[in-house]
Amino acid sequence: MAIKKSELYSSLWESCDKLRGAGGMDASQYKDYVLTMLFVKYVSDKYTGDAMSLIEVPQGASFDDMVALKGQPDIGDRINKEILRPLFASNGLEGSLEIVDFNDDEKLGSGKEKVELLSKLIAIFENPALNFKNNRAEDDDVLGDAYEFLMRHFATESGKSKGQFYTPAEVSRILSKVIDVHKADKPSYSAYDPTCGSGSLLLKVAGEAPNGLTLYGQEKDVATKGLAIMNMWLHGYPEASIAGKNTIASPQFKDENGKLKRFDFVVANPPFSIKNWDSGIVPLDDEYNRFRGYGVPPDKNGDYAFLLHIIASLKSTGKGAIILPHGVLFRGNAEAAIRQNIIERKLIKGVIGLPANLFYGTGIPACIIVIDKEDTDSRKGIFMMDASKGFIKDGNKNRLREQDIHQIVDVFNTQTTVEKYARFVSFDEIEKNEYNLNIPRYIDTQEAEDIQDLNAHLNGGIPDLDIDGLQRFWEVYPTLKSHLFSRFRALPAGRQESYSQLNVASSDIKSAIYEHPEFTAYSDELALVFDSWKTKIYEDLQGINEHTAPKKLEKQISEALLHEYNGKPLVNPYAMYQHFMDYWNDMMKDDVYLLAEDGWVATTKRVLEKNSKGKEVDKGWTCDLIPKQLVIDNYLADEQQALNDLISTLETKQAEITSYNEEHAGEEGLLADATNDKGTITKTTLTNYLKSIKGDKSEKEAYDLGNKMLTAFAKEATLKKQIKVAEKELDELTLKQYGLLTEAEVRTLVVDKKWLASIRAVLQSEIDSISQRLTGRIKELAERYENSLQQLTEQAKTAEYKIASHLAKMGLVWN
């Protein structure tokens, strides 16, 4: 039976992290061992014995050979010499991938400690679920997700100064989608990353091309460069060219004339604002002419050096995207001159402002600058976007949500003006701003202030200005406004036209809105939108089989949902999309992988957990695909109701016992002497007490009361036994029912009862929040202006008079 992917990745990380803790190694170092192991495992599973493969796994250098070394006293030395070096040498990578030493006593310990650490590390990757023999890396199945999961966690754990090897996947996806990579229909199109790190950004770009790309990357850190090479192999790009050395001082990709090689696409996430960027070169005499005509960046800030390198590395129709700190948009002096020269050449297609604290190496806000050399003659300006407010907190970092990514890409690629978010800015306007590209100069993201109306506070009424602020609701519910509001007549003539009064009591606002025919009609219309989406994707869900590519399915059905809700008034289609993606990632993705691998069967399994002594304990059974309660609700509802009735009766009886305790266990209570040290009556203390007063006529009332309570205790015990038996019987019946489920029943339970019911419920919660916002705002306005100053004054006078009258009756009178 297939294991859930999320459980596999979590288990893999937990095992690796626990082992790292035992060895005391820094995460930024330990990642190299884990990812090297993942690499050996993958190429062994995928290419051993394949004579036609581009990758050769030499005899004696496979993962199975590594497994045979477990427990050997010289395990570390033999991994180096017998596994890694032959594997790398056979593929022309000798010297390129020796990023870790498996015989390093300083990092791994010595003697028995090292043997145990490496043996356990190998054992982690022996997990049967980590089998890449049939893995399709292009669908990012087990391998790609496992690699991404590990890299994100290692970056998180590596600390501020050591996490720069990884660009968050969400940001990488944006860069790859805003430079038209999807139009590159031949693998001969080239993509280049001059500061490629572990290669994740470059691979995201390749993933957007329908038939792949020819990849080039340069990374000066030797260990990180090795990770990039392994990453290329792991994702089906063994022919990618990954070079070392410093890109600015020594670019490694050149044409036959010794000039910079030019590429169709260039992306980069260079280190922010590095000092001494020009070490090893004289910028004014740069042999590649990267700075000629633009200017030389300041010595202490190399941001523009990387941007100019990218511009020089693009073909005449090339497109690029680079992540840089916000300062490049507005800093002065030398950088201002460079910026002006770039703008005047019309090379910048757009600027996208990102949230702060997205990256692992820094917390400062960054932006994406999109370069496009094509159509510069006809370009009239720069598309500016402020996407800084769209994110979710993820531990101590911020993370872009699926809806944020999709909206950024959609708005940018369609160049759509969105208020307080994005607009096209002409070069004339930029020139008037002295070529300063600071986003707030062009996009005002400030929310409108909720102004208090002094006149309304003094004289009453709700300002029409506030009511008109709900115009988007009135456009959908055109007569609801007049149903809720009318002219405020208490104001002097000539002032009434600016103020309204509520026609219903504040407590009735919700029902007045929810019961209005226009509100119910639009709710029904939105329900039909869901039904339309369901109709379009239902056969795809029912048709999941071993040929299903889960990520392609996800994209198909999520895009269909976004399309259905797009353009619907009051509804944010990206919020609906996010709800679906949350459910997909939390639940549905695992289910689809299980179905693709195991078919439409509801397989049950025992839940075995190790106790503190290391012994396995049976904790019952479960089913990953179909929750127990779903089967119970649909097949054993009567048995569940009988159990619920017993539980309800028990709760009533326990409430009765609690009532006895509250009324009669206190110091003055009849059963005060039947309590324990905590002042509570228990069955034992009560039984002993009744024995002590049996036959004592003076204690008859207490004796009778105690017997009633004892009867309640007995009934409680009986009910608990009955519930235990009923729960066991229901559990056994449920397990039996799983075995009776037909394939058709499994399909119905999974698709209709689980997936679609859950998605409908979560989307409905978003729709409900729309009406809650309307209701909440009207209530807020009603309460804000409920009492005018005159009414408050009169209420104060009335209260003062009442108090004075009461004091007078008490003989307290003063002037």
Side-chain angles (χ1 to χ4, degrees), residues 292-354:
R292 183 175 297 174
Y294 295 99
V296 178
D299 294 340
K300 296 182 178 180
N301 197 319
D303 293 329
Y304 270 103
F306 290 103
L307 179 55
L308 292 174
H309 176 80
I310 284 180
I311 291 173
S313 300
L314 281 168
K315 292 180 179 179
S316 60
T317 57
K319 297 168 174 60
I322 183 172
I323 301 165
L324 290 172
H326 264 284
V328 300
L329 302 176
F330 54 79
R331 290 194 296 250
N333 301 318
E335 292 185 308
I338 297 172
R339 184 170 57 247
Q340 179 175 341
N341 284 323
I342 294 173
I343 293 171
E344 288 180 337
R345 285 168 172 77
K346 301 181 179 180
L347 294 172
I348 299 177
K349 180 179 180 180
V351 176
I352 302 169
L354 297 173

Side-chain angles (χ1 to χ4, degrees), residues 486-502:
S486 60
R487 277 293 117 235
F488 184 58
R489 302 298 180 188
L491 283 174
R495 306 270 309 272
Q496 296 174 357
E497 69 278 0
S498 300
Y499 297 87
S500 298
Q501 64 186 19
L502 198 60

Side-chain angles (χ1 to χ4, degrees), residues 93-106:
L93 294 171
E94 192 168 20
S96 297
L97 287 184
E98 283 84 346
I99 59 177
V100 286
D101 178 4
F102 278 81
N103 203 33
D104 189 329
D105 291 353
E106 185 178 334

Side-chain angles (χ1 to χ4, degrees), residues 14 190 550 557 622:
E14 288 170 9
S190 57
I557 58 182
T622 189

Side-chain angles (χ1 to χ4, degrees), residues 26 92 150 157 188 336 347 374 386 395 456 566 616 684 807:
D26 180 84
L150 289 172
E157 295 289 322
S188 57
L347 294 172
E374 193 171 22
D386 187 338
N566 195 32
E616 279 195 343
T684 301
L807 291 174

Side-chain angles (χ1 to χ4, degrees), residues 180-391:
D180 293 338
V181 178
H182 65 282
K183 296 179 181 178
D185 55 357
K186 299 175 183 177
S188 57
Y189 280 93
S190 57
Y192 166 56
D193 184 343
T195 58
C196 69
S198 58
S200 58
L201 173 54
L202 200 52
L203 284 166
K204 282 290 186 293
V205 173
E208 288 298 312
N211 298 304
L213 298 169
T214 302
L215 302 181
Y216 299 83
Q218 186 166 347
E219 170 57 44
K220 69 176 183 178
D221 183 86
V222 175
T224 306
K225 172 199 161 193
L227 288 182
I229 293 172
M230 289 195 295
N231 202 3
M232 294 299 133
W233 282 33
L234 291 172
H235 287 80
Y237 285 90
E239 294 179 302
S241 297
I242 306 296
K245 298 187 178 181
N246 184 316
T247 296
I248 301 299
S250 181
Q252 294 297 292
F253 298 106
K254 306 169 190 176
D255 62 20
E256 61 275 8
N257 298 316
K259 297 181 180 180
L260 284 183
K261 183 176 177 62
R262 295 176 181 264
F263 305 92
D264 296 295
F265 306 101
V266 181
V267 290
N269 178 20
F272 288 179
S273 306
I274 62 169
K275 300 177 181 179
N276 302 318
W277 62 270
D278 55 352
S279 178
I281 65 169
V282 178
L284 290 176
D285 294 327
D286 178 46
E287 63 177 302
Y288 307 107
N289 296 323
R290 288 172 288 185
F291 311 103
R292 183 175 297 174
Y294 295 99
V296 178
D299 294 340
K300 296 182 178 180
N301 197 319
D303 293 329
Y304 270 103
F306 290 103
L307 179 55
L308 292 174
H309 176 80
I310 284 180
I311 291 173
S313 300
L314 281 168
K315 292 180 179 179
S316 60
T317 57
K319 297 168 174 60
I322 183 172
I323 301 165
L324 290 172
H326 264 284
V328 300
L329 302 176
F330 54 79
R331 290 194 296 250
N333 301 318
E335 292 185 308
I338 297 172
R339 184 170 57 247
Q340 179 175 341
N341 284 323
I342 294 173
I343 293 171
E344 288 180 337
R345 285 168 172 77
K346 301 181 179 180
L347 294 172
I348 299 177
K349 180 179 180 180
V351 176
I352 302 169
L354 297 173
N357 203 26
L358 285 181
F359 300 95
Y360 294 100
T362 178
I364 66 174
C367 64
I368 299 171
I369 296 180
V370 182
I371 301 294
D372 190 347
K373 285 190 172 181
E374 193 171 22
D375 301 324
T376 53
D377 291 342
S378 59
R379 187 163 294 136
K380 303 298 183 183
I382 297 174
F383 192 75
M384 307 286 285
M385 180 183 295
D386 187 338
S388 61
K389 295 183 178 180
F391 63 89

